[in-house]
Amino acid sequence: MSFDHQSIAAKWQSRWNEAKVYRTPNNPDREKYYVLDMFPYPSGQGLHVGHPLGYIGSDIVARYKRMTGADVLHPMGWDAFGLPAENYAIKTGTHPRVTTEANIKTFKRQLESFGFSYDWERELSTTTPDYYRWTQWIFVQLFKKGLAYEAKLPINWCPSCKTGLANEEVVDGKCERCSTLVERKDLRQWVLKITAYADRLLDGLKSVDWPEKTRTAQEYWIGRSEGTEITFGIDGSEQKLTVFTTRVDTIFGCSYVVVAPEHAVLESIVTPEHKEAVEAYVAATKAKSDMERTELNQDKTGIFTGSFAINPYTNEYVPIWVADYVLGHYGTGAVMAVPAHDERDFAFAQKYNLPIKSVIKTVDDEVIEPSAEHLMLEDGICFDSGPLTGLAGAEARNQAVIIGEKGGFATKKVNYRLHDWVFSRQRYWGEPIPVIHCPNCGPVAVPENQLPLLLPEVEKYEPTGTGESPLAGINEWVNTTCPECNEPAKRETNTMPQWAGSCWYFLRFIDPTNDKALADYKLLEKFGPVDMYVGGSEHAVLHLLYARFWNLFLFDIGAVPFAEPFKSLRHQGMILGENHQKMSKSRGNVVNPDIIITEYGADTFRLYEMFMGPFTEMKPWSTKSIEGTHRFLQKVWRLSEKPLTGEAQSATTVLLHKTIKKVGEDIMNFSFNTAVSQLMILVNALSDQESLARSDFENLLRLLSPFAPHLTEEIWEKIGNKPFLVLENWPQYSEHYLVDTTIDIPVQINGKVRQVISVAADISQEEAIALAKDQATIQKWLSEGDVVKEIYVPRKMINFVIKPKA
Ligand code: ANZ
Ligand code: ZN
């Protein structure tokens, strides 16, 4: 007889709900464990079978930890502000709130069908006013500390739609909606000073248990670079030009300098006869992305400004060029070019016939003639370099800095690839930025007791065409009074980016209904930080960096008791379609979990995804292979039909204890597939028995419960136990059964060793002798005479004394 997975799942899901078994306990003296999924954006498509993988893994961890006696916090919510709902509103006029609510319903129904052990009483959405009240509150704190400021910055601008675009809406440099070439336009923006935290964000990475790749990605993104700033004079001008270099040891090989097209000094140094050409060049670079500009293989372009800079180390005059391979917002936006020792400079110098001068040779005194095939790019020994001649690498750089500092024209400088975070969007469906612009007082924060600043209703969701958000069109909302001087003032109409709400949601789950603070400090102390964070590796930089930044800031102002929010982090691998391609609607290979769950049940689904292969690896879906895990669960069901009157068998006991240990360890190592294999071995062993020891079977159910909670709970009740299995204790294993329990002992005939046999260490005399007599070799010897004596020295030897046959 098979089991009816649908009615079993429905029955237990509703009983768990009624009994609130997943409500987060808070026992004063108990260990806590906070296991968190990256909360989803509730898209219109619903889930495909790739999405739940991470949720299943974290759910197993949550269930395991619950059974080991921890106060487990395992919440779920919705990251629900964002573009898709807004674009849908522009197309159809449907309010994003309506779309979002409908999508959340679908998502929640789907998540519930897996039987996840979420504490749904803590459900939250980033779009509800009592949540974004605190998102706004955090912004106000950043503003008060000078970490949120206004600046004019270039954004993506579609000249045809007359709107700013998010980076995600720019596809191959074109507007996603109308395919017009996107321009850069300078607009006033709110910016968060994440760079003030660059060093601490780097340091913190040393203390977290994260995948190596993700830590490296953040390190690279922050991009700390130690170098030197050198200030060149400009011929015939009072102005100076400062460059940033990591290779000041090559200063004597500098043959020209280059400024970025957006560099402020440009306008005043271009000579009249070069003006027109330079302006045309600058205009042409506007459309290019940073990527296109710095790509190594890209053909380098540039143009001479007519002016010369003076190298302060040599007093040489070198031409000043403008070229778009130099970026305006990195370093000082100007570089000293050393074509003999830098690939980009070399390509540029060759193209425009600029001098190429070697100044670094190998440690073996070899001077490499610069060519497209071979450049001396590494550290080496300086030559033809005045006071640096003969010095090597770091030593030469130190000396150059000393000289420069004495002369007042160079100094050490640390640069970061990380930029401050452009935090405003010209969009409707986001948190309004709580600032009022007053002609007298400047930007003033909305007073905290007036938060949340509600997102008003609008008639149209289209951007206004002036680069402002749709909120700018609502006069009664925009016009207000200044909280400081009471004079007429205007509200900020930009909203926050999609990332804002996810920067601190892990804190709110700890205390989701608090209306005095973002979360109670004592509760944060008990449940924070997140012990185990599970989600996709595509969030390696943006979300995971932004959230660390906000948490660190909240730590600094005393709102949060820990500096790092995510102690351990794991990424699930991607599940591909059956055709081994990425699962997507357009490829037609999407598998809907609803169908699988209806056909095979949630337990089979969960177990299958855990058994497919290593959790972190990419692997293809296979509906056919699901049959295997389905059969396994049927085997478990059939075990429940065996009599539970058996005695524990020693071999099974050993296997059971091994399994308890392995499954527990595998779960915490996210090695779910090997845990399932081990459970299969145990189930096979039990299937071979006529009857089962009740305790053996109950322990199997406990071990399997995190993976297949519905079926095991049903069997638990069926064999006469009180619910709920999901709240039972995880079984204990005893080391005693895990030590190697066999020993080798010699078997002698008349004192001569004839064979060595393996026996259990605690084997009895009778059993040992019987076993020895079973061996073919020994039988042959024994047949040659009559046994007169059998000797067993425990753990040492067996000896048969025989008298030859007469
Ligand atoms: C001279 C030099 C000689 C350089 C040499 C390198 C090798 P990281 O490590 O990324 O910090 N650079 C500086 N500012 C730039 C900008 N705004 N746009 C494009 N390139 C810029 O790289 C620092 C190096 O990148 C600097 O060191 C500078 O080139 C270039 F043999 O200066 B170097
Ligand atoms: Zn004012």
Side-chain angles (χ1 to χ4, degrees), residues 225 244-247 250 294 325-338 341-342 344-345 377 415 417:
S225 165
F244 172 72
T245 178
T246 47
R247 293 293 307 276
T250 64
T294 50
Y325 77 88
V326 175
L327 300 174
H329 51 73
Y330 185 70
T332 61
V335 308
M336 66 179 218
V338 185
H341 303 296
D342 181 275
R344 285 175 305 182
D345 296 345
L377 299 173
N415 258 319
R417 193 173 291 114

Side-chain angles (χ1 to χ4, degrees), residues 93-147:
T94 317
H95 196 292
R97 191 184 311 112
V98 175
T99 318
T100 302
E101 272 166 18
N103 292 348
I104 286 177
K105 257 205 191 116
T106 310
F107 263 67
K108 190 168 178 185
R109 178 188 57 71
Q110 285 191 305
L111 289 183
E112 283 179 324
S113 73
F114 293 99
F116 293 139
S117 62
Y118 293 126
D119 179 353
W120 282 112
E121 286 175 43
R122 290 170 189 256
E123 178 179 0
L124 59 79
S125 165
T126 53
T127 56
T128 53
D130 66 346
Y131 182 85
Y132 69 67
R133 168 185 177 188
W134 296 104
T135 313
Q136 291 174 329
W137 180 86
I138 297 168
F139 180 90
V140 169
Q141 310 312 309
L142 286 160
F143 176 70
K144 287 182 173 167
K145 294 273 185 236
L147 293 167

Side-chain angles (χ1 to χ4, degrees), residues 153-154 184 195 219-229 241-247 258-263 290 293-294 323-336 344 413-420:
L153 283 173
R184 301 286 247 165
T195 52
E219 275 169 21
Y220 179 80
W221 188 266
I222 296 169
R224 186 188 153 96
S225 165
E226 288 180 25
T228 312
E229 278 186 0
L241 182 61
T242 301
V243 303
F244 172 72
T245 178
T246 47
R247 293 293 307 276
V258 193
V259 298
E262 45 282 85
H263 201 292
D290 284 3
R293 283 170 54 165
T294 50
D324 66 7
Y325 77 88
V326 175
L327 300 174
H329 51 73
Y330 185 70
T332 61
V335 308
M336 66 179 218
R344 285 175 305 182
K413 169 81 189 186
V414 177
N415 258 319
Y416 299 90
R417 193 173 291 114
L418 183 70
H419 301 310
D420 279 346

